[in-house]
Amino acid sequence: MSEPIITFERVNKWFGAYHALRDVDLTVGRGERIVVCGPSGSGKSTLIRCINRLEEHEAGRLVVDGVELTDDVKAVERIRREVGMVFQQFNLFPHLTVLENVTLAPTQVLRLPLAEAESRAREQLARVHIADQAAKYPGQLSGGQQQRVAIARALCMKPRIMLFDEPTSALDPEMVKEVLDAMLELAGAGMTMVVVTHEMGFARSVADRVVFMDQGRILEDRPPADFFSRPEHERARDFLAKVLPR
Amino acid sequence: MAARQIRSGFDFLRQPAGFDIGEGPVPYGPRDSYLWAFAAGLANTLRVSALGVVLATLLGTVVGVGRLSRNALVRWGCTAYVEVLRNLPLVLLLFGCYLAATELLPEATEPVTLPGGGYLSKGGLQLPHPTWSPGWGAALAGLSLGLAAAWGLSRWARARRAGTGHAPAVRWPGLALALLGPLLGWLAGGAPTALTRPEMGPFGVSGGLSLTPEFLALLGGLTLSAGAAIAEIVRSGLLAVSHGQLEAAQALGLSRRQATRLVLLPQALRLIVPPLTSQFLNLTKNSSLAVAIGYPDVVSIANTAINQNGQALECILVIMAVYLCINLVTAAGMNLYDRRTALVER
Amino acid sequence: MTGPGAPTDLAARPRPPRAGGAWRWARRNLLGSPASVLATVVALAAAAAVLPRALRWLVLDAVWRADYQACRALEHRAACWGMIAEKHRLILFGRYPHESQWRPALATALVVAALLVTAHPRAWRRWLLPLWCGVLAAFLLLMRGGLLGLAPVEPGSWGGLPLTVLLTLVGMTASIPLGVALALGRRSSLPTVRVVATSYIELTRGVPLITVLFVASFVFPLVLPSWMALDALGRTALAITLFQAAYLAEVVRGGLQALPRGQAEAAASLGLSWWSAQRRVVLPQALVLVIPAFVNSLLSTFMDTSLVTVVSMYDLTGALRLALGDPQWRAFFVEAYLFVGAIYLVSCLALSRYSHWLEGRLGRWTRREASGA
C-alpha cells in the first residue's frame, strides 16, 4: 500500500451522551479508494466529517496529509483546501450561478485571478459533462446535474482527497448513474477517495477496500472481493442480506 | 345623522382649520385649510416614521447579530433587551419616554451644550443645520444622477451574468458613483458651508433645527420597540439559512468570515426583507400613538379636527385613506424587490 | 493498516469529563477573539459601574413606607417605593370604589385560575367551554354588582388590571368566531363573500388600532340606532374585537393552508367520512399549527388594550396616569412606571414562555426523529 494520507488512531466522538465513534482505527493510503458502508446510525457520516473537521473528534489522534487535526484554525483551513467534499444534499449556493459556485473558492481562498479560475472551472465542468449549464442557477437544474456541479466545485480546488457523503442517496434512480459515472472517472484518474454509500455495485467495481461500520465501530476492513463473498461478522452478513439485490 | 344636526361631506376640508400645529416641516397657520392641516400632519407622520425606520433597522441589526455572538455577555445583553422590549406595551414605553424627556432633562433656560453647537433641554433638541442654497440643490440633482448611473451599472452587470455566468463586481463602483454625484453637484454649486446655528436667548434656545420633546419621545419609543422586533427578524433570518450551506462553504476552505459574507448573508437577506417591510409598516402605524403624547401627526390632527367640527366619519376616512396609501406603496415596492431578488428556479 | 483486530464487543463508554470545565467555557465564550475580549472588558466595566448604584437605588437605600416626607428627603437618590404602597390600589383597580375592591381582585383571580386550568392540553375537554362561560359570568357579576347584595358599580368606574383582563378576554373570545368566519370566507368559492372578507381583512390590518378605536368612539354613536347604543366599555370591546378578528383570520387561514392536502386525501382513501376525517385527522393537525399563533394573538391583544387610554378608559396604563395626576406623588413617576412595567413584563413573559412550551408539546408528534448515519 502507498504511504498513508489519512490516519485514524483510537478516535472517539460523543454527541452529548451518545458514543458515536468508538476507538476507530483506520489508515487510508494515497490513491486508495475506500467505500464506507453500514446500517443507519453506525457513524459513517461522522467518520468522514471528522476528516475535514466538520465534526471535531474527542480522544484519539487524526492525521490528514501530514497535519494533525486540532483546534488550530489555520491548520484546519489548510487541510480543507486539500480535501474536497460532496454532500448528500448537494449544498450548492442558490444565489450564485453554476460558474460562480465553482469559481468562488478558487478566487477567495486560493486567490486565483478570475480568468484563470474561470478557465479551471470550465475545465472541471466539462469533465463532469455539464459545461453548457455554466450560466444557469442551481434551482434550474435537476438533482443529478446539481450533484455533478457539486463535484466540479470540489474538484476545482485541486484537492488531494475527495470525500463523498452518500452522494446519490437524495437522487431519483435515473440520475444515480450520471453521478456514479463522474465518480468512476475520478477514480480512474487516481484520486484518493473515501465514499460513504449504499451503492454496492460501485463498491465492487471501484473500491480498493470496503470498511463496514456498526454502532460507531469498524467491524470489517477488507478488499471488496473478500467482504462480499466471506463477511466475517454476523452484523455484516445481516447488512449484506438486506442491501444486496437477490 | 341629520337629526343630530351635524354637517356631513368633505366640504369642510376647504375651510380654515382654526387651530395651530406645534411643529413640522410644512409651514402652517390657523388660517390654513383643514386639508393643509392634514398635509402637515402627514408630513409629521412621515418624518418620524422615516427616521424611526432607519434608526430601528440599525439598532435591530446590531442587536440581532449580537444575539448570535460567540461572546456570552454580548449574547445575554442583547437577549435581555429583546425580551424586555417585546413584552412591554408601546403606549407605556412612550409615556415613560415622554415623562423622562420632560422631567429629567434640564430646564430650557439652562440647556446642555452639545459638541458642535447643539443644545438639549426640556424644550427639545436644537441642532445647527446647513443653510439652504442653490449649491445644495445641485448636490441633490447630483445624487439622483449618481443613483441612476449606479442602477444602470447593476443592469449591465446582470446582463453579463445571464450571458457568461459570471457577474462583474459592481458594488464598489456603484457606491462610488452614488457618492460622487452629490459631491460634484455640491462643488459645482459653489461648495456652500454656511450653517444656521441655534441661539441661546433669555427664554431658551431658538433657531437651528428644532426637535421637540414630543418628537424625541415618540422617536425613542418607536425605535426601541421596533428595534427589538427587527432584531428577532434578523436573527431568525440568519438561523434559517440551511446549515449545510455554511458547511459546504467551509469544506471548500472559506474562512468563517468569508462564508458569512459570501454565502450566509445574501441568502439571509432574502429571508429578512419581507418581514422587515411589514415591521416598517407596523412602525408607521404605531406612530399614530403620537396622539397620546401630543405630537401633531396625522391622527392627532384628525382628533383635533373631530373635536372641533364633529365630522368624525370624514376625518377618520381621511386617516384610513392615508394609511392604506402608505400600505399600498410599500407593498408595491416590496413586490418589486421580491421579483428582482427571488432565487431563480425552474 | 488495521483490520478487524479491534475487539468486536466494544461497548459504548461514557464521555470522559472535560478538563478545566469552567475555565474552558470562559475561554470559548468570553475570550474567543480580540473583539470578544474587548467586549467582555467593556461589559464588565459597565456592570461594575452601574450595578452597585442600581442596587442601592432600587433596594438598599430605598424607602418602602408610604411616607411622603421621607421620600422627599431622598431627593431621587434612591427609589421611593412608598409611592407604590400609597397608590397601588388606584393603579391596580382604577376608580373602583375603595371598599368594594375585593370584588375585582376576586374576579381577576378567578380568571387567572381558569387560565391555569386551561393551560394544560389534558384539560381540553368538553367541560372547558361551560367553565369559561361560568367564569366570565362570575367576572361580570362581581364587577357589575346589583345582585346578591353586591352594590352596583357602573362600568365607567371599572379600571386597572381587571379592565385590561376583561378587554383582553372579551376581545379574544368574541373575535374567534368572527375570525374563523372571515378566514373561511376568504377561501370561499363565492366571489362576493371572498371580496367582502378580503377587503375587511386587508382594510383592518392596514390601519392602526387607534383608528378603529376612533371609529368605535366617534362613529358608532352617530351611526347606530339608539336602541343599540353601547356605553364606552362596550364600544371599546367591540373595537378590539373587530380589530383582532382580522389578524386572527390570517392566523386561521395560515393554519388551514399549511396542512398538506395529502392528509385529507389519505383519510378519505382509508374510508373515513368527511366529518370524521376533519375531526380526527385535519383539525387536530391544523390546531397544532394554529394554537401557538393564537397564544401570540392573545399576547398582542393584552398589550394592545393599553391603547384604550387614548379614548379615556382607565386600564392598567390609564390608571397609572391617573395616579400620576396627584401633584404630590407625581415626582416619583419612575417608580410607578417600573411597577406597571414589571406587571406587564411578568405576564407577557409568562405567556410567551407558555406559548413556546405549548408549541413543543403539540408539535411532538409532527417532528421527525433526527437521522444518524
Side-chain angles (χ1 to χ4, degrees):
Chain A
M1 189 193 67
S2 46
E3 32 138 351
I5 196 172
I6 303 176
T7 315
F8 281 76
E9 276 175 36
R10 293 186 65 90
V11 166
N12 283 275
K13 165 83 185 162
W14 285 265
F15 286 114
Y18 174 63
H19 198 171
L21 289 180
R22 307 180 194 181
D23 281 344
V24 167
D25 289 302
L26 178 66
T27 313
V28 178
R30 195 178 293 275
E32 272 201 297
R33 286 89 51 132
I34 311 286
V35 166
V36 182
C37 63
S40 159
S42 55
K44 322 187 285 290
S45 275
T46 315
L47 180 82
I48 71 165
R49 285 159 65 93
C50 283
I51 298 177
N52 64 356
R53 208 145 172 96
L54 285 180
E55 300 289 352
E56 293 175 9
H57 66 278
E58 303 148 42
R61 221 169 141 251
L62 176 51
V63 180
V64 175
D65 203 14
V67 177
E68 182 172 349
L69 286 177
T70 57
D71 279 337
D72 181 2
V73 174
K74 288 282 178 277
V76 170
E77 284 182 7
R78 247 195 348 263
I79 290 294
R80 286 178 176 163
R81 276 176 237 160
E82 304 296 335
V83 176
M85 185 154 189
V86 174
F87 297 85
Q88 182 176 358
Q89 300 297 336
F90 331 138
N91 285 335
L92 291 181
F93 307 133
H95 60 293
L96 302 175
T97 60
V98 162
L99 190 66
E100 287 167 343
N101 261 277
V102 180
T103 55
L104 180 69
T107 47
Q108 295 290 327
V109 179
L110 303 177
R111 302 197 183 282
L112 291 183
L114 186 60
E116 188 182 333
E118 279 194 9
S119 77
R120 233 201 232 193
R122 291 190 196 276
E123 190 188 311
Q124 299 302 330
L125 288 172
R127 194 170 169 185
V128 293
H129 308 293
I130 204 164
D132 52 333
Q133 310 285 343
K136 292 243 179 90
Y137 285 86
Q140 295 172 293
L141 302 179
S142 73
Q145 290 172 316
Q146 289 189 48
Q147 194 64 299
R148 283 187 279 148
V149 172
I151 295 175
R153 180 175 69 172
L155 288 176
C156 204
M157 293 289 285
K158 299 243 194 288
R160 300 220 186 124
I161 305 169
M162 279 289 280
L163 306 175
F164 292 83
D165 187 0
E166 303 208 37
T168 55
S169 299
L171 295 175
D172 292 336
E174 67 266 19
M175 293 190 239
V176 168
K177 181 176 187 308
E178 63 195 61
V179 173
L180 288 180
D181 285 343
M183 290 163 69
L184 275 169
E185 189 265 337
L186 208 59
M191 172 71 76
T192 312
M193 294 164 67
V194 181
V195 183
V196 173
T197 186
H198 297 294
E199 297 289 329
M200 293 300 140
F202 179 82
R204 244 196 258 267
S205 55
V206 168
D208 292 316
R209 278 154 51 206
V210 173
V211 169
F212 177 75
M213 287 186 73
D214 184 46
Q215 291 182 345
R217 315 158 291 188
I218 293 185
L219 290 185
E220 307 241 4
D221 182 358
R222 301 150 82 214
D226 292 344
F227 176 72
F228 286 112
S229 55
R230 291 186 311 272
E232 273 184 15
H233 290 94
E234 194 183 321
R235 295 285 297 144
R237 280 197 290 271
D238 286 341
F239 176 72
L240 284 175
K242 288 193 198 114
V243 165
L244 289 177
R246 301 212 167 274
Chain B
M1 256 198 311
R4 302 179 202 192
Q5 289 171 334
I6 298 177
R7 291 191 311 271
S8 64
F10 287 93
D11 296 331
F12 78 97
L13 286 174
R14 267 170 280 163
Q15 317 255 320
F19 56 83
D20 206 351
I21 294 179
E23 59 176 296
V26 172
Y28 172 86
R31 274 210 264 223
D32 290 316
S33 65
Y34 277 106
L35 191 61
W36 196 239
F38 278 116
L42 178 60
N44 278 334
T45 296
L46 292 176
R47 189 164 71 117
V48 76
S49 304
L51 200 53
V53 153
V54 167
L55 291 177
T57 308
L58 284 172
L59 179 62
T61 309
V62 168
V63 173
V65 170
R67 281 194 76 173
L68 299 173
S69 161
R70 287 233 200 98
N71 184 311
L73 290 176
V74 170
R75 248 192 346 255
W76 294 339
C78 294
T79 307
Y81 163 77
V82 170
E83 287 299 311
V84 166
L85 267 117
R86 288 188 78 194
N87 290 306
L88 283 179
L90 184 54
V91 177
L92 193 71
L93 199 62
L94 275 181
F95 285 151
C97 284
Y98 186 58
L99 267 182
T102 50
E103 304 270 334
L104 297 179
L105 287 176
E107 291 291 331
T109 43
E110 287 166 35
V112 171
T113 313
L114 301 168
Y119 296 100
L120 181 62
S121 70
K122 273 190 200 166
L125 182 65
Q126 274 86 14
L127 299 169
H129 68 89
T131 323
W132 177 259
S133 74
W136 291 108
L140 275 179
L143 181 65
S144 337
L145 284 177
L147 286 175
W151 181 76
L153 199 63
S154 83
R155 291 276 315 246
W156 172 78
R158 283 168 140 252
R160 280 291 302 272
R161 186 188 236 179
T164 63
H166 168 72
V170 290
R171 209 161 289 153
W172 292 115
L175 192 65
L177 275 177
L179 291 177
L180 204 63
L183 183 65
L184 289 176
W186 181 75
L187 286 173
T193 51
L195 288 178
T196 310
R197 291 180 186 283
E199 297 287 322
M200 189 62 214
F203 300 112
V205 183
S206 59
L209 181 65
S210 179
L211 302 171
T212 58
E214 287 82 12
F215 177 82
L216 292 173
L218 186 60
L219 186 65
L222 286 175
T223 304
L224 286 174
S225 174
I230 291 177
E232 276 303 276
I233 293 173
V234 166
R235 185 181 79 114
S236 11
L238 287 173
L239 288 177
V241 177
S242 148
H243 193 55
Q245 290 288 304
L246 255 185
E247 285 191 343
Q250 288 181 313
L252 285 169
L254 277 98
S255 74
R256 205 181 168 85
R257 189 165 296 169
Q258 286 171 321
T260 307
R261 184 169 58 92
L262 298 164
V263 172
L264 179 61
L265 281 183
Q267 296 188 57
L269 267 176
R270 281 175 178 82
L271 293 172
I272 286 174
V273 168
L276 194 66
T277 318
S278 35
Q279 217 26 253
F280 292 168
L281 282 176
N282 266 349
L283 192 144
T284 312
K285 283 192 283 177
N286 283 339
S287 70
S288 61
L289 290 179
V291 71
I293 58 172
Y295 175 75
D297 80 315
V298 72
V299 170
S300 285
I301 304 286
N303 194 24
T304 316
I306 292 176
N307 285 328
Q308 230 170 286
N309 61 23
Q311 295 200 249
L313 192 57
E314 289 82 356
C315 290
I316 293 178
L317 283 175
V318 168
I319 40 180
M320 280 187 164
V322 162
Y323 279 105
L324 287 175
C325 280
I326 297 178
N327 255 326
L328 279 173
V329 166
T330 316
M334 245 276 294
N335 277 335
L336 203 66
Y337 175 85
D338 251 353
R339 246 179 295 142
R340 282 198 55 181
T341 60
L343 294 175
V344 182
E345 284 172 21
R346 37 179 186 180
Chain C
M1 184 196 326
T2 9
T8 55
D9 57 350
L10 204 53
R13 299 200 303 276
R15 175 189 247 158
R18 299 232 216 202
W23 174 239
R24 193 195 159 104
W25 181 91
R27 265 235 324 267
R28 261 215 170 155
N29 285 296
L30 297 178
L31 308 168
S33 66
S36 190
V37 173
L38 182 64
T40 305
V41 166
V42 166
L44 289 178
V50 166
L51 279 179
R53 289 171 69 179
L55 200 61
R56 269 205 303 275
W57 191 88
L58 279 173
V59 179
L60 297 173
D61 294 343
V63 169
W64 296 85
R65 306 172 319 275
D67 183 345
Y68 183 64
Q69 297 306 327
C71 279
R72 276 212 53 189
L74 281 177
E75 285 179 9
H76 294 297
R77 271 174 293 118
C80 169
W81 298 116
M83 200 269 180
I84 308 299
E86 172 78 16
K87 293 281 181 187
H88 72 277
R89 288 179 79 160
L90 180 55
I91 296 176
L92 287 176
F93 299 114
R95 289 179 307 183
Y96 209 87
H98 201 263
E99 59 293 345
S100 310
Q101 277 177 357
W102 63 271
R103 284 157 55 183
L106 180 59
T108 313
L110 274 178
V111 167
V112 171
L115 275 175
L116 288 174
V117 167
T118 316
H120 203 278
R122 225 175 276 165
W124 297 351
R125 299 255 180 272
R126 270 173 229 261
W127 48 261
L128 205 58
L129 194 58
L131 171 76
W132 272 104
C133 291
V135 166
L136 218 56
F139 187 98
L140 288 170
L141 176 64
L142 279 169
M143 295 290 286
R144 190 79 171 75
L147 293 175
L148 301 180
L150 297 170
V153 178
E154 289 295 312
S157 303
W158 299 2
L161 192 56
L163 184 62
T164 301
V165 167
L166 178 65
L167 285 174
T168 309
L169 277 181
V170 169
M172 276 314 280
T173 45
S175 66
I176 292 174
L178 184 56
V180 170
L182 283 170
L184 292 174
R186 193 163 180 174
R187 282 160 64 97
S188 155
S189 38
L190 299 166
T192 329
V193 172
R194 204 170 51 236
V195 163
V196 165
T198 312
S199 336
Y200 177 87
I201 293 175
E202 293 303 321
L203 202 90
T204 316
R205 279 162 52 102
V207 297
L209 175 55
I210 287 229
T211 333
V212 182
L213 282 173
F214 277 4
V215 167
S217 306
F218 295 126
V219 175
F220 283 175
L222 302 177
V223 165
L224 292 176
S226 47
W227 57 264
M228 261 179 79
L230 294 167
D231 61 342
L233 180 60
R235 289 199 298 266
T236 317
L238 182 59
I240 293 182
T241 305
L242 291 175
F243 188 71
Q244 273 305 115
Y247 286 85
L248 213 60
E250 287 298 279
V251 166
V252 172
R253 188 173 79 112
L256 289 171
Q257 271 181 336
L259 197 63
R261 264 187 20 181
Q263 290 295 308
E265 290 175 355
S269 69
L270 283 169
L272 289 169
S273 74
W274 180 86
W275 175 237
S276 198
Q278 292 294 311
R279 205 161 67 89
R280 292 182 180 283
V281 174
V282 174
L283 281 179
Q285 295 188 64
L287 280 182
V288 166
L289 300 168
V290 161
I291 284 187
F294 179 82
V295 176
N296 286 336
S297 262
L298 184 67
L299 185 61
S300 66
T301 311
F302 182 68
M303 290 207 283
D304 282 344
T305 57
S306 55
L307 258 82
V308 303
T309 61
V310 172
V311 287
S312 308
M313 296 206 68
Y314 297 105
D315 75 310
L316 190 55
T317 313
L320 167 65
R321 297 185 81 196
L322 205 59
L324 288 178
D326 183 344
Q328 237 194 6
W329 292 97
R330 189 197 162 78
F332 306 104
F333 66 92
V334 176
E335 291 84 339
Y337 271 101
L338 284 177
F339 175 60
V340 171
I343 296 180
Y344 275 114
L345 202 60
V346 166
S347 328
C348 295
L349 272 178
L351 262 177
S352 58
R353 285 286 162 271
Y354 169 67
S355 167
H356 283 150
W357 174 84
L358 195 62
E359 208 169 350
R361 192 102 196 299
L362 292 176
R364 216 180 280 162
W365 72 79
T366 56
R367 254 205 305 269
R368 282 176 304 178
E369 288 299 326
S371 59

